[in-house]
Amino acid sequence: MTDKFDKTPAGGPSAHSAVDKGTYTPPEQIKAIPVRHWGRWVSAVIVVALLGTLIYSFSQGDVNWGTVGDLIFDDRIVRGMGATLLISVLSMLIGLVLGVLFAVMRLSKNPVTGAVAWLYIWFFRGTPVYVQLLLWFNLALIFPVLNLGFYKDEMVDVMTPFMVALLGLGLNEGAYMAEIVRAGIQSVDEGQTEASNALGMSSSKTMRRIVLPQAMRVIVPPTGNEFINLLKTSSLVSAVQYTELLRAAQNIGSTSFAIMETLLVASVWYLALTSVFSVGQYYVERHYARGSLRQLPPTPWQRVKRNLLNVTGKREGAWS
């Protein structure tokens, strides 16, 4: 057994004598040579080559790229883009309100409210949103006059293209959001509800103060995906005469005969919108993940900064 007060160097007697003589030199620091991943470089070259081939093919197509550049910020396109944002945001707000309402109804112990919520979700999730838009658009064929007792008007005047788009997208989104919210609520441990009831909190207050805040971590990611999907689905409202981004592009293309160019312009704007909201979704998810992760993952900018530091030979972990 080695004495804990023994000061003999690890190298044994020879090392001890070398220290006494002042000729002992420490071993050289080990230099780690990183493993070269040749497969990554090969796959990267293949991907870049395929991407270059795709770009070259488009450059050789009969597309007037100058027209595409001129139409990007055309007033009609910008107004259409604004209409797309407006109808998407309003429809998402309606979907969120209806989603929370019908999710709570679905989880209620009241069989009537539970059945009504199930029927709503069953219908609007089971039929295509395009069909729903056409049903709202042609509602005047079966109800020529809207008579609510306190309000009466011609159905064709009530069901404007904007109202048709809002109802069609909003009600459809509400059915999907109801299932997302229900999943989020059920992810919260039942002990949380039991503890709040033991403190004398009502069911509605427990839902607002205890359950929903914790369920947000599960609700937020699919909600962001739903909104991004809604941005693209909003292009279907062009079929009910609502002038959003796609219809504005089609109107320009039908008069200028630059059909492909205007469709490419619409695609550029859809990509820009979804990219912006994807970044926003990432940071919202990161915010709500703080309560479940010990350490948040690095942001994209932090990852880029770390990779640059590694390439330049600086120590890993010097980024913040």
Side-chain angles (χ1 to χ4, degrees):
M1 182 174 180
T2 305
D3 188 354
K4 63 180 179 179
F5 297 105
D6 186 10
K7 302 299 183 179
T8 303
S14 60
H16 188 277
S17 60
V19 171
D20 293 339
K21 296 178 181 179
T23 59
Y24 176 75
T25 56
E28 294 183 1
Q29 185 179 3
I30 298 176
K31 295 180 180 180
I33 300 177
V35 179
R36 291 180 174 83
H37 300 280
W38 298 108
R40 297 179 183 177
W41 290 99
V42 172
S43 60
V45 170
I46 293 175
V47 170
V48 171
L50 292 176
L51 183 61
T53 303
L54 182 63
I55 295 174
Y56 176 77
S57 300
F58 268 91
S59 66
Q60 297 301 307
D62 190 12
V63 177
N64 190 339
W65 294 104
T67 302
V68 174
D70 293 338
L71 291 175
I72 284 290
F73 296 104
D74 187 273
D75 291 340
R76 294 164 291 181
I77 294 293
V78 173
R79 285 196 299 270
M81 184 269 295
T84 292
L85 274 178
L86 176 64
I87 199 65
S88 299
V89 171
L90 293 180
S91 299
M92 194 66 200
L93 290 176
I94 292 175
L96 284 171
V97 173
L98 293 177
V100 174
L101 175 63
F102 282 101
V104 174
M105 289 174 60
R106 180 97 184 263
L107 296 172
S108 173
K109 296 180 180 179
N110 188 327
V112 176
T113 57
V116 170
W118 180 88
L119 187 64
Y120 168 80
I121 295 170
W122 170 75
F123 177 79
F124 285 99
R125 287 180 67 203
T127 55
V129 63
Y130 184 69
V131 175
Q132 295 171 31
L133 288 169
L134 294 178
L135 286 173
W136 289 112
F137 187 66
N138 295 287
L139 197 60
L141 297 177
I142 55 176
F143 296 107
V145 178
L146 176 65
N147 189 356
L148 300 177
F150 60 89
Y151 178 80
K152 184 177 181 181
D153 200 355
E154 296 289 333
M155 186 63 75
V156 291
D157 295 329
V158 175
M159 285 297 167
T160 60
F162 175 77
M163 184 61 66
V164 169
L166 189 62
L167 288 175
L169 296 177
L171 292 177
N172 180 266
E173 193 61 36
Y176 286 93
M177 286 305 306
E179 290 297 277
I180 292 173
V181 174
R182 181 176 67 88
I185 291 174
Q186 290 180 329
S187 70
V188 179
D189 190 88
E190 292 183 359
Q192 301 285 331
T193 303
E194 295 171 355
S196 61
N197 291 336
L199 293 174
M201 297 178 67
S202 63
S203 299
S204 60
K205 193 172 185 179
T206 299
M207 183 63 66
R208 294 195 316 269
R209 298 285 186 86
I210 305 298
V211 177
L212 284 179
Q214 296 183 71
M216 289 299 292
R217 181 176 57 86
V218 178
I219 294 173
V220 167
T223 300
N225 293 335
E226 278 296 312
F227 180 70
I228 291 173
N229 184 62
L230 181 61
L231 271 173
K232 298 177 292 182
T233 306
S234 65
S235 61
L236 293 176
V237 302
S238 62
V240 294
Q241 311 302 317
Y242 183 68
T243 307
E244 40 70 65
L245 179 57
L246 178 60
R247 187 166 183 83
Q250 289 176 326
N251 290 341
I252 297 174
S254 62
T255 56
S256 64
F257 300 104
I259 297 175
M260 284 300 298
E261 286 79 4
T262 53
L263 291 177
L264 287 173
V265 169
S267 300
V268 169
W269 274 112
Y270 280 120
L271 285 172
L273 291 175
T274 54
S275 299
V276 169
F277 284 104
S278 295
V279 173
Q281 176 190 357
Y282 171 82
Y283 283 100
V284 172
E285 290 181 15
R286 181 181 169 86
H287 172 77
Y288 282 102
R290 292 183 302 176
S292 60
L293 299 177
R294 289 194 178 97
Q295 184 177 3
L296 292 176
T299 63
W301 167 244
Q302 288 173 336
R303 286 196 294 266
V304 170
K305 191 175 180 181
R306 178 184 61 186
N307 292 332
L308 289 176
L309 291 175
N310 289 339
V311 170
T312 56
K314 295 185 179 180
R315 291 178 62 249
E316 185 177 2
W319 54 280
S320 57

